[in-house]
Amino acid sequence: QATLGLNIAAKTLYGVQVGLCNHAQKGSGMQIGIVNIKGDAPWYAKVIPGIRIMREEKPTGLEEKLR
């Protein structure tokens, strides 16, 4: 996703977001912007300026069935 303004990933981001303000609830990828927000991060890491690299392991088939 790329924009000159606000980028919002509905739930999960897999890829790259580039913009002034980027928001993703969870996912794996990179956010590049003045303000980068990850919704499920701990309070001290929710908002990061510059570049945020996110790594989230995808659940295996068994873990998915147990949810």
Side-chain angles (χ1 to χ4, degrees), residues 3-35:
T3 185
L4 295 174
L6 176 66
N7 265 332
I8 300 175
K11 287 191 175 195
T12 305
L13 169 71
Y14 292 108
V16 178
Q17 283 184 320
V18 179
L20 295 177
C21 182
N22 303 303
H23 179 276
Q25 187 62 29
K26 60 182 180 175
S28 294
M30 182 184 306
Q31 293 176 318
I32 303 171
I34 295 174
V35 177

Side-chain angles (χ1 to χ4, degrees), residues 14 56-67:
Y14 292 108
E56 180 179 289
E57 293 183 21
K58 293 182 182 179
T60 64
L62 179 59
E63 290 172 339
E64 192 67 34
K65 290 177 183 178
L66 294 175
R67 288 185 180 184

